Amino acid sequence: MKWRKYFIPTTKETPKDATAASHILLLRAGLARQLAAGIYSYLPLGLRALRKAENIVREEMDRAGAVELRMPCLTPTTLWEETGRLETMSDILLRIDGSVGDWATGLVLGPTHEEIITDIARAYLKSYKQLPINLYQIQLKFRGEARPKSGVLRTREFLMKDAYSFHHDLETLDKEYENMYATYCRIFKRCGLPYTVVEAESGAMGGDVSHEFMVMTDAGEDLVAISEDRVYAANLERAAAAPPEAGQDDDTFAELEEVHTPGAGRVEDVCAVLGTQPRQMIKTLIYTGVAPASSRFDSDVAPASSRSEAVRVVALVRGDHEINEFKLAKAAGMMLELADPETIEEVTGALVGFAGPQGLVDKIDKLIIDREVTVLRDAASGANKTDYHVTGVNPGRDFPLDSAGTGPGRYGEKVVVADIRNVVDGDPAPIESRSPLHLRTAIEVGHIFMLGTKYSDSMGATCLDKNGRARPLIMGCYGIGVNRIMAAAIESHHDENGIIWPMSLAPFEVLVIALDSKDERANKVALEVHDELAAAGIDVLLDDRDERAGFKFKDADLIGIPLRVVVGKKSLAAGGVEVTERGKESKEIMPPEAAVEHVTKLVRQELNKLAQ
Ligand code: ATP
Ligand code: MG
């Protein structure tokens, strides 16, 4: 390919609103152009990189035994009604409701394809003999993301590889899950991504298994907790710390004492008045929720507002801890919403900001206590009286710690002790080493998930088992964000001058630079090197533009082609052409034929190394 005939609109300007390296370089290197918020055109160079990622994904999925198909982007609303997701996903569904001629459209632009694949499955997968099977596609997805940002990391239209496996038993689901796990590892390694697999939250109600494939970078929007010894890694949504060690065992408890704390509603303000630390305080949060029906594999919980009978739940965490909504919902067995000020006043008898656990249990339906709260001694909390807090609060004495309460079986299932907080930096990991956890930002590039029968149940997709009985199909699903692979590669491989592509994703593997467009001999040699590399099957770009050397080198650094062959008067006088690697210091001068051979070998070696 010759640069002059190609289209690489590089630019020096750094876009104002771009902060992520991948976003800046994507635009500066002329890979993509934003058309509207979260909507991008892929320019030729960007498309080549995207295609390379797509092809790696396809090759590895095929190798893993998955079968490719293509479902439509236009999907009927009726299918989304069947699973209730027309409502539960309404915040991101892009809908086309109207009429064209005499056709009344009622369409959703597919954000994911569980409904559509399950519709195919219920039509064709009728017997256990057809199972297991894994069907996948690589296709555009549409989501009305509220805050698209960071270039192509989060867009409203993006390319996803989505795979769905169907099973008649849990053993084959486990096996296929492992197969996909290993396949994802191969895919991301081949793409040159430094990835980490983390345990992921699989939905508030399920006991199911889910993993995310993360690339650690500042530009990521996910928070991941990783132990210092790297043995434990989990998404913050799910990460747990080791349980707290029991407090000291003496029986000198301080007495409850009310303290006047006018206007001090926030933890820090209260601490200042009481002369205590947030870690010695109990935060008392009041929620409302509605008890749902659940199944083993339910991954979505009905929103609280869609059910009628509200229950009141009080959650206790330490003053320096934050509630984890997923864990709280699991402990409560339902999705919860923070209560409105009227409910809070009704429950506590005080204005918002002065709630405390003492005496509350009889006024609510459930008390959920974080494990760390149970080991506190002489803590402080709200006094359930406006403008007052109390000190000397002791778990077990001032509020019940277990279902027995102060009398056998008194509270039944009303009192629950559970892990309901987000981990914080330095917490011990829940593994033998208790290695300290650290929080890091990450990009989610892939997600694998045991779905179970969630979709087959609601859509009536069954198959006959060995005994001729109809059973709901058991499903797994496996997604990869192809654009995110490309952006994550740039995030993890760049320097101040531009991109340093991994060989496997590089739009071109080799860039030949003819240094002086007026030097005929150099031009001729450059063209020959280009042609021979192309004939050897190398993706090669020839910079034949009539530009200064410095300008060409700047662009070369920016677009980040891994190998470079520079042909100029000086190099020819020194015996040939100069071979360099992007991001490395080394330079070698060699005759043109030798350079072709050397560079071809380097490309192959690097591709093989990544594919191993
Ligand atoms: P996120 O939490 O980042 O919104 P998600 O968990 O909703 O993503 P999935 O439904 O698991 O995403 O989709 C599978 C994969 O598709 C993700 O792992 C991610 O790589 C990619 N992806 C999801 N949303 C987007 C988006 N808006 N833009 C680009 N890629 C995306
Ligand atoms: Mg996900």
Side-chain angles (χ1 to χ4, degrees):
M1 185 64 63
K2 305 194 182 110
W3 197 312
R4 233 200 267 233
K5 292 258 161 75
Y6 205 52
F7 182 60
I8 312 179
T10 57
T11 144
K12 281 207 204 61
E13 283 124 61
T14 299
K16 320 191 253 335
D17 57 333
T19 49
S22 59
H23 189 186
I24 295 169
L25 292 173
L26 187 84
L27 302 175
R28 284 199 51 214
L31 301 176
R33 176 179 163 78
Q34 181 175 305
L35 176 65
I39 306 172
Y40 281 81
S41 299
Y42 278 76
L43 304 178
L45 216 51
L47 182 62
R48 285 185 77 102
L50 191 70
R51 282 251 168 86
K52 291 215 169 166
E54 179 181 342
N55 288 340
I56 290 173
V57 172
R58 180 174 288 111
E59 275 174 35
E60 295 298 339
M61 289 300 290
D62 289 346
R63 184 137 82 110
V67 182
E68 187 171 4
L69 48 53
R70 173 73 57 86
M71 291 177 270
C73 295
L74 296 177
T75 69
T77 12
T78 46
L79 270 187
W80 298 87
E81 272 163 358
E82 282 191 49
T83 58
R85 291 213 289 184
L86 196 62
E87 202 188 311
T88 55
M89 285 180 73
S90 61
D91 52 338
I92 64 148
L93 290 183
L94 287 160
R95 298 179 54 172
I96 307 173
D97 290 314
S99 57
V100 182
D102 58 2
W103 174 41
T105 62
L107 299 171
V108 170
L109 288 171
T112 174
H113 277 68
E114 283 83 3
E115 278 78 355
I116 297 84
I117 198 78
T118 307
D119 181 60
I120 292 175
R122 71 180 163 189
Y124 299 112
L125 300 178
K126 297 289 192 188
S127 156
Y128 73 95
K129 290 182 190 150
Q130 297 166 278
L131 307 175
I133 188 159
N134 188 344
L135 298 168
Y136 83 97
Q137 62 173 349
I138 301 179
Q139 181 224 31
L140 280 181
K141 294 283 186 274
F142 300 86
R143 293 185 183 183
E145 299 281 1
R147 281 176 301 279
K149 58 178 215 182
S150 307
V152 300
L153 281 175
R154 180 175 302 285
T155 52
R156 292 182 169 141
E157 177 184 307
F158 60 97
L159 195 61
M160 194 203 283
K161 185 285 294 173
D162 45 328
Y164 308 88
S165 67
F166 294 90
H167 308 266
H168 71 287
D169 60 15
L170 292 174
E171 289 74 55
T172 57
L173 172 65
D174 286 347
K175 220 165 136 200
E176 186 57 15
Y177 189 83
E178 270 172 38
N179 181 27
M180 283 296 108
Y181 187 114
T183 301
Y184 274 40
C185 292
R186 268 205 307 277
I187 289 173
F188 297 125
K189 171 158 188 296
R190 246 184 102 177
C191 291
L193 294 182
Y195 67 93
T196 306
V197 193
V198 310
E199 290 178 21
E201 178 49 50
S202 50
M205 297 299 292
D208 17 337
V209 183
S210 170
H211 287 90
E212 284 164 342
F213 291 73
M214 296 289 196
V215 175
M216 304 294 160
T217 114
D218 293 345
E221 291 184 21
D222 276 65
L223 272 177
V224 165
I226 301 187
S227 63
E228 230 163 72
D229 62 10
R230 301 194 69 82
V231 173
Y232 178 83
N235 194 310
L236 181 65
E237 290 169 358
R238 181 189 175 99
E245 310 200 296
Q248 79 266 40
D249 198 20
D250 62 55
D251 47 20
T252 51
F253 294 98
E255 288 306 312
L256 278 178
E257 197 181 320
E258 264 183 20
V259 185
H260 194 213
T261 53
R266 293 181 318 149
V267 171
E268 306 81 71
D269 304 337
V270 181
C271 284
V273 180
L274 300 181
T276 184
Q277 301 291 325
R279 54 179 300 118
Q280 271 301 314
M281 290 211 49
I282 299 171
K283 259 197 294 206
T284 306
L285 294 142
I286 296 145
Y287 289 85
T288 50
V290 213
S294 72
S295 81
R296 182 196 150 180
F297 280 110
D298 239 1
S299 67
D300 290 337
V301 172
S305 53
S306 72
R307 312 281 178 103
S308 51
E309 208 188 308
V311 294
R312 290 170 178 179
V313 177
V314 166
L316 307 181
V317 283
R318 237 166 60 179
D320 58 334
H321 286 157
E322 296 297 330
I323 291 260
N324 176 308
E325 305 288 342
F326 293 94
K327 294 180 183 178
L328 180 65
K330 241 178 235 172
M334 70 191 87
M335 203 68 169
L336 299 171
E337 281 171 1
L338 274 171
D340 52 36
E342 293 76 54
T343 310
I344 295 174
E345 279 182 53
E346 210 182 295
V347 172
T348 66
L351 288 176
V352 175
F354 299 95
Q358 52 301 341
L360 275 195
V361 68
D362 293 322
K363 301 187 189 153
I364 55 171
D365 301 286
K366 215 167 193 106
L367 176 64
I368 305 178
I369 306 160
D370 185 65
R371 297 178 304 181
E372 298 283 347
V373 169
T374 64
V375 295
L376 288 177
R377 296 288 298 266
D378 303 338
S381 78
N384 296 324
K385 181 170 161 188
T386 303
D387 287 344
Y388 283 88
H389 279 79
V390 282
T391 57
V393 181
N394 281 288
R397 184 191 71 184
D398 301 316
F399 57 91
L401 269 188
D402 54 33
S403 53
T406 49
R410 182 163 164 212
Y411 294 113
E413 295 188 348
K414 198 170 183 180
V415 180
V416 179
V417 172
D419 168 22
I420 55 166
R421 68 173 179 105
N422 282 334
V423 298
V424 294
D425 216 79
D427 272 338
I431 47 176
E432 212 185 328
S433 67
R434 294 175 65 91
S435 169
L437 291 173
H438 296 297
L439 292 179
R440 298 182 57 186
T441 51
I443 299 171
E444 176 195 323
V445 286
H447 194 171
I448 58 175
F449 193 9
M450 290 194 190
L451 276 178
T453 57
K454 180 177 155 66
Y455 295 94
S456 38
D457 279 340
S458 54
M459 294 181 64
T462 59
C463 79
L464 297 180
D465 68 9
K466 289 190 177 98
N467 305 315
R469 266 186 313 217
R471 301 264 185 203
L473 288 163
I474 299 172
M475 290 172 66
C477 79
Y478 320 90
I480 287 184
V482 184
N483 317 68
R484 277 193 193 174
I485 291 184
M486 179 179 139
I490 301 177
E491 280 298 330
S492 29
H493 304 287
H494 68 272
D495 61 16
E496 64 283 7
N497 300 320
I499 305 168
I500 307 173
W501 284 110
M503 190 63 79
S504 52
L505 298 186
F508 292 97
E509 292 154 339
V510 181
L511 174 65
V512 180
I513 304 182
L515 261 198
D516 177 2
S517 52
K518 298 199 179 58
D519 183 329
E520 271 183 28
R521 179 152 170 252
N523 279 345
K524 188 165 162 281
V525 172
L527 185 61
E528 277 166 13
V529 170
H530 166 273
D531 289 350
E532 277 172 41
L533 284 171
I538 300 295
D539 289 336
V540 56
L541 176 68
L542 171 65
D543 190 349
D544 55 350
R545 294 175 301 169
D546 187 10
E547 295 285 358
R548 282 177 298 106
F551 186 87
K552 289 188 175 185
F553 283 132
K554 271 218 159 64
D555 266 358
D557 279 348
L558 182 58
I559 67 169
I561 307 306
L563 292 172
R564 201 179 290 175
V565 180
V566 182
V567 192
K569 250 199 203 88
K570 251 204 250 159
S571 71
L572 289 174
V577 301
E578 186 184 87
V579 177
T580 56
E581 286 183 52
R582 174 74 177 91
K584 290 193 187 153
E585 294 289 318
S586 63
K587 274 186 191 167
E588 267 189 277
I589 303 257
M590 56 184 89
E593 313 76 56
V596 168
E597 205 175 302
H598 178 61
V599 160
T600 306
K601 207 167 101 196
L602 284 182
V603 170
R604 305 243 156 91
Q605 262 173 2
E606 185 57 22
L607 288 177
N608 284 340
K609 199 173 98 199
L610 290 168
Q612 258 160 30

